[in-house]
Structure formats: C-alpha cells, structure tokens
Amino acid sequence: MNPMTRRHLLLGGLGAASAGLLGACSSPAPRSPSGHGGTPAIYPTPTLVPGPGRTTVEASLRPRPVTLDLGGVEASTWGYSDAGSTLVRGTAGDLFRVTVDNELSASTSVHWHGIRLHHAADGVPGVSQEPIEPGQRFVYEFVAPDPGTYFFHPHSGVQLDRALYAPLIIDDPAEPGRYDHEWVIVLDDWTDGVGRNPDDIFDELAAQDGPVSRGMGMGGHDMGGMHGGASPLGDAGDIDYPHYLINGRVPEAPLTFEGKPGDRARLRIINAGSDTIFRLALGGHTMTVTHSDGFAVQPRQTRALYLAMGERYDVTVTLSDGAFPLVARPEGKSGLALAVVRTGQGDTPTTQAQVSELDGDVLLGTTLRAAEGAGLPDGEVTDTFDVELNGQMDPYGWGVNGRKFGDHEPLEVAPGRRVRMRMTNMTMMAHPMHIHGHTWGLPGSGGLRKDTVLIAPMRTIEADLITDNPGEWMLHCHNIYHAEVGMMTTMRYL
Ligand SMILES: [Cu+2]
C-alpha cells in the first residue's frame, strides 16, 4: 500500500475534529511541527519548552543513497550520512531540533522510537504529518522527557530495513555514571545492496494477501526454511538475511571494543533489525541488566538476553582478562552477529566462537521488574481494550483484531484515563508490539516500563498507559514487514 492510499484510507476513518490535525500538516513547504508559521498547533505543546537549565540540541539528517563498507562487503543502500548512521544525543529535558533534508528518490519520515513526544513530531506519514517528499525539508522539534537508550528510523514503508536508523541517547542528569566505558551496540539484519532489496521482499510477501481473521492463524506455518530448531518464541522471522551486523559490521570483520581487566562497561544495546529477534551474550561474562526501553529495572544478572525488534536494553559488565566474543544469534535463523571485547592477550574470536551462554537461560524482558520508583504509578484501570494479534506466514498476512491497517478500528479513548491493553497473540510467531507517544507499565511485571513488548505465541500480556498526550498514536508490530502488511492500529484521543 503506498503512502497516499494509506493516507486516504486513514482520512476516511477520521472524524471532523482530527481532520483539522491533518490539515494543519498539509503544507508541503518546509515547516516546523510546532505550528510556527501561522498555523496554530491543535494540541497543547508544553513539551516544546525545555526543562530548567536545559538546552537545544540541533542535528541534521540527510537521508540519501550511500555505499557502506560492512567490513569487506560493500552495500549500496540508503543512510542518514555517508557513514550510514548518525547518533543523536542530549539530556532529558533538552529541546531537540532535527532538520531532515530528503535526498532520496522516495518520500520518507523520521520516528523517534520510544520518546514520549508531542504528536506533531511523531513522524508517521498520514497520521502526524505529510510524507517528506524528495527534495523537501522537515524540521522535527520535541522535548525528550525521559532519559534512556532510544533510536530513530523512518515510518515509511520498509525503509528501516535499509541503513536508515541511528541511536538516540538521552542522558540522565542524575546518572552516577559508575562505569569506565559506554558502548552503544546496534544489532541489525542485513540484505539491502547485497541480497534482495527490502521493497522487493515486501512486494512478494504482500502479494500473497493472506487473511487475518480473528482467532488462531489457520494457514500452515512452514518450518521448511527455518534453522536452529524450535524456539520458545515460536516460528522465526520470515526472512533469511545474508548478514547479521553489530554496528554495521559483518561477523568476518568485527569491531573491537577495548578496555582493561576489571573495568566496568555499560552497553546500550538496540535491536534495529526488521525481522529478527536476537539472543545476545558476551562470552565468559555475566551481564547485569539495568534498563529496558530506557527505564530503570531492578538489576538482574543474566548470561544471555533476548532483544526483539525495537527493544533496547542497558547492561553493565565487569570485564575479564582476554579477548571475548560479543555475539547476537538470530533466533531460528542461521548466522550470527559478532563484535570483540578485548582487554588483554588472546586469539581474536571468530564466527566459529562457541558461546555456551547462548544455550543456557535467556532472559526475556517481561520477566524484569521496574526499579523502585520507576514503574508506572498504580491506579485504577478505567478502560480495557482487547488487542488480538492475528495472521500467519502462509499465505502471508498479519493484522490486529482481525483487520489490516487501513481497515482498522482505532482504539477510541479519552484524556486522563488509565487504559489497559490486553494483547493476545493468536499466531504461531512472537510479535514485538510497539506503542507511540506513551510508555506502558506492565502490571504483570511490577509496573515495568516498556514501549516495545515481545508477546510469545498464544500468550496474553497486559500493558497499561495513562492518556496524557493527545493525538492519534500507532500501536503496531515492530516486525517491519508485519507492520507494513497490516499489523498496525491506532489509539486516539483529543
Ligand atoms: Cu509481528
């Protein structure tokens, strides 16, 4: 479905009140989302005022065709800079002003994944803005209220499956920073420019036009193309990628992170993959998980953890003496992503490295608990919505509540409520569900804050949020192919 078709479908479902929102964004000229330039903002925009003593962080993104060296593998793709990626960093309470100049041949957008920002900066074409057409500029302005590890990417087609993503780090002014190194680790599944291109993959899948009726997915789930045996997360992703990357490098040419024995390292780990859940471990080490999707958790030790698409975890680790593989194994697929942590002598780990940690207990984020004071505050649930995840691999089709996006029924809510989403996965595959503009608290996990929650097959997860940020907000699977084929809906209130 092209963006225009989608926009029209969406407009058809919108009431008169919110049509004004789209009207406010209809100017094709470069504009600020804050309503500068004469168009009054529809929503209150207190979040455009920086916090006390905070500053403005300016950044520039130029999405464009680039050729990346993945480590002896050249890939023609689309990126935000010649290096592919452009990290954006500031402090909680800062005003971010990011200018996007679209040098692509396709329209694009930028979504600030996980940030509780005001609606006009959310970066969803057809919902919060017009697409940024080729040659156009769009300026995003928002205040990031919560510290943590985030990232950004287009909300346009399957562009995320190219190199159009980068970390967004929001520092905590109160962070004690008791570590010697901070490493940002980005995981990805890679095909663009070396295998089939993401748009072709999507077109082929979408052409199957499978049903998404309510109840359990009836289509056979063909395990024939899968590898690695059964996973507790059900069927693997839909796509076998030629490469799996850590920080843009194939495992045959891994990056090396250096330290000294006894150093403490903080790893901010982001799964920017489009169709791949990873198990991650640092060989020979135990990690302490400190944050999930930006928010503090009760510290938990583990030797391995799962990262679904769109999830982020911060871990700390005390480094041993030697050279160690940092590995991310794609769940249910063959291959792996690799980096090296070196503090001393030792052979450089290779793709043949045996990392026994990956085959032991693997931590699933929903088993974490919110840190003291970091959970969503308790309160009485005022509205409960059932959100059923439907679909199957063959014939390929994915949806929410028996409908594909465009034909979806928005969750209609009101401001000042505590909404519970009871999300049930009726399919044979795990789906990372992502909410925009809000951070859930999971009542089953002590109020754990998450914006991306992996839901295993035939499981139900309850996720609460407080409606304090008016707008129409996406709720969708972060498998980008599932989302684009229809596994998205919205929640809206004025
Ligand atoms: Cu999905």
Side-chain angles (χ1 to χ4, degrees):
M1 185 182 300
N2 71 44
M4 260 346 264
T5 312
R6 164 168 302 166
R7 175 173 146 70
H8 284 296
L9 283 169
L10 205 66
L11 271 169
L14 283 175
S18 48
L21 165 70
L22 290 157
C25 296
S26 65
S27 165
R31 64 180 297 277
S32 151
S34 60
H36 298 167
T39 313
I42 287 204
Y43 298 125
T45 53
T47 51
L48 276 173
V49 179
R54 302 278 25 117
T55 183
T56 298
V57 175
E58 305 256 8
S60 165
L61 303 175
R62 297 183 167 276
R64 68 181 111 161
V66 293
T67 300
L68 298 182
D69 176 9
L70 308 179
V73 176
E74 279 211 339
S76 296
T77 184
W78 296 351
Y80 283 127
S81 70
D82 286 337
S85 179
T86 304
L87 182 141
V88 174
R89 184 165 202 153
T91 298
D94 282 348
L95 173 67
F96 289 78
R97 182 178 295 130
V98 185
T99 303
V100 179
D101 288 293
N102 183 5
E103 299 174 8
L104 300 169
S105 57
S107 69
T108 192
S109 55
V110 182
H111 169 61
W112 312 92
H113 180 110
I115 304 287
R116 294 188 303 121
L117 40 54
H118 72 126
H119 186 256
D122 194 42
V124 181
V127 176
S128 66
Q129 67 172 92
E130 288 288 303
I132 311 172
E133 298 296 343
Q136 282 191 347
R137 167 177 290 186
F138 191 91
V139 181
Y140 290 91
E141 278 187 322
F142 59 91
V143 167
D146 305 309
T149 302
Y150 302 90
F151 74 127
F152 55 89
H153 58 77
H155 222 283
S156 300
V158 292
Q159 291 180 10
L160 168 59
D161 211 6
R162 302 185 190 251
L164 292 170
Y165 60 78
L168 172 59
I169 307 298
I170 309 296
D171 287 310
D172 184 349
E175 163 70 50
R178 296 190 196 97
Y179 41 83
D180 304 294
H181 309 278
E182 182 196 55
W183 299 328
V184 178
I185 309 288
V186 184
L187 314 178
D188 194 16
D189 42 19
W190 191 270
T191 182
D192 195 30
V194 295
R196 292 192 299 158
N197 97 40
D199 287 317
D200 291 346
I201 294 172
F202 174 74
D203 288 345
E204 194 174 301
L205 292 169
Q208 298 180 26
D209 196 23
V212 296
S213 37
R214 289 195 81 133
M216 202 179 153
M218 295 305 289
H221 53 288
D222 176 16
M223 292 293 285
M226 303 305 169
H227 312 269
S231 162
L233 301 178
D235 290 357
D238 310 344
I239 299 160
D240 278 325
Y241 285 83
H243 302 288
Y244 298 93
L245 313 180
I246 291 182
N247 292 16
R249 305 284 289 186
V250 295
E252 293 77 15
L255 275 185
T256 297
F257 297 93
E258 294 188 343
K260 298 193 301 294
D263 280 354
R264 274 167 59 81
R266 176 184 190 164
L267 281 63
R268 296 176 179 268
I269 313 161
I270 301 163
N271 183 353
S274 288
D275 178 65
T276 305
I277 299 168
F278 289 97
R279 293 182 186 207
L280 179 133
L282 175 58
H285 290 76
T286 297
M287 303 175 284
T288 302
V289 181
T290 62
H291 297 75
S292 167
D293 292 356
F295 284 79
V297 301
Q298 292 179 16
R300 266 275 294 282
Q301 293 204 335
T302 188
R303 296 173 76 79
L305 74 157
Y306 284 114
L307 285 103
M309 302 77 91
E311 279 193 303
R312 296 87 60 208
Y313 289 93
D314 291 19
V315 306
T316 57
V317 61
T318 301
L319 301 178
S320 300
D321 189 351
F324 306 95
L326 175 66
V327 291
R329 182 197 286 169
E331 193 72 0
K333 302 181 181 183
S334 55
L336 88 169
L338 176 72
V340 172
V341 173
R342 178 178 286 284
T343 64
Q345 301 297 312
D347 293 339
T348 299
T350 70
T351 55
Q352 301 308 310
Q354 295 301 312
V355 182
S356 60
E357 286 83 358
L358 291 175
D359 297 315
D361 288 337
V362 183
L363 185 143
L364 196 56
T366 42
T367 65
L368 295 165
R369 314 281 297 180
E372 187 76 29
L376 193 71
D378 283 337
E380 197 179 324
V381 175
T382 57
D383 308 80
T384 300
F385 290 92
D386 282 308
V387 176
E388 194 177 287
L389 313 182
N390 308 112
Q392 66 289 311
M393 277 294 298
D394 184 15
Y396 198 82
W398 302 100
V400 177
N401 286 339
R403 292 167 178 269
K404 292 180 179 175
F405 189 69
D407 183 39
H408 64 289
E409 289 176 339
L411 309 182
E412 305 281 359
V413 298
R417 314 279 282 189
R418 186 188 183 91
V419 171
R420 173 160 295 176
M421 298 183 182
R422 195 161 48 204
M423 295 184 281
T424 300
N425 182 352
M426 300 298 287
T427 81
M428 299 303 293
M429 191 170 177
H431 303 277
M433 294 301 290
H434 175 56
I435 184 78
H436 286 207
H438 303 72
T439 312
W440 284 311
L442 307 188
S445 308
L448 175 71
R449 306 298 295 274
K450 295 282 288 172
D451 56 68
T452 308
V453 178
L454 184 62
I455 308 177
M458 304 315 289
R459 291 298 183 89
T460 296
I461 288 185
E462 293 182 330
D464 294 356
L465 58 80
I466 293 168
T467 53
D468 57 0
N469 192 13
E472 181 169 22
W473 300 101
M474 305 303 296
L475 166 64
H476 67 90
C477 178
H478 220 275
N479 179 312
I480 214 67
Y481 292 87
H482 293 191
E484 195 57 19
V485 86
M487 204 170 205
M488 306 195 285
T489 188
T490 65
M491 171 189 75
R492 65 187 185 188
Y493 57 106
L494 289 172

